[in-house]
Amino acid sequence: MFDTLSFKMRRWLVLLLLLVGMPLYIVAAVSAVGWLESLFGRLPLLIELVVYVGLGLAWIFPFKGLFKGIGKPDPDAAPITWDDER
């Protein structure tokens, strides 16, 4: 899905996702747990832990392809040559 995007566009999307999308997702996840608590009362600690861990991992799977290779140098850029390599 994200393979057709350029490296720079993927980098910008990752930055946007981490700076804007992640805080919004955190607010939504905490609100969802609050909604569960309003329905069922305070959840047992182990179930609450499983819910938070599940919500913490759930956002990763749709964006896994976007994050692949972001930590590596741009494959389309010219290689870096140092002064002592000439």
Side-chain angles (χ1 to χ4, degrees):
M1 179 172 151
F2 298 107
D3 296 336
T4 58
L5 296 174
S6 70
F7 185 76
K8 287 185 179 188
M9 179 57 76
R10 285 181 37 218
R11 270 200 151 151
W12 278 108
L13 284 175
V14 165
L15 185 65
L16 182 69
L17 179 70
L18 290 176
L19 291 178
V20 176
M22 194 61 167
L24 291 175
Y25 181 76
I26 290 168
V27 169
V30 171
S31 298
V33 171
W35 176 75
L36 281 175
E37 286 183 2
S38 70
L39 284 178
F40 302 112
R42 179 69 189 222
L43 299 172
L45 186 62
L46 188 57
I47 293 175
E48 193 172 341
L49 176 70
V50 168
V51 168
Y52 275 117
V53 169
L55 287 171
L57 293 175
W59 72 274
I60 295 172
F61 297 112
F63 299 110
K64 190 167 92 171
L66 185 63
F67 282 95
K68 277 188 179 175
I70 290 298
K72 298 178 182 174
D74 186 354
D76 300 328
I80 299 172
T81 57
W82 300 98
D83 291 338
D84 59 351
E85 293 179 357
R86 294 182 198 174

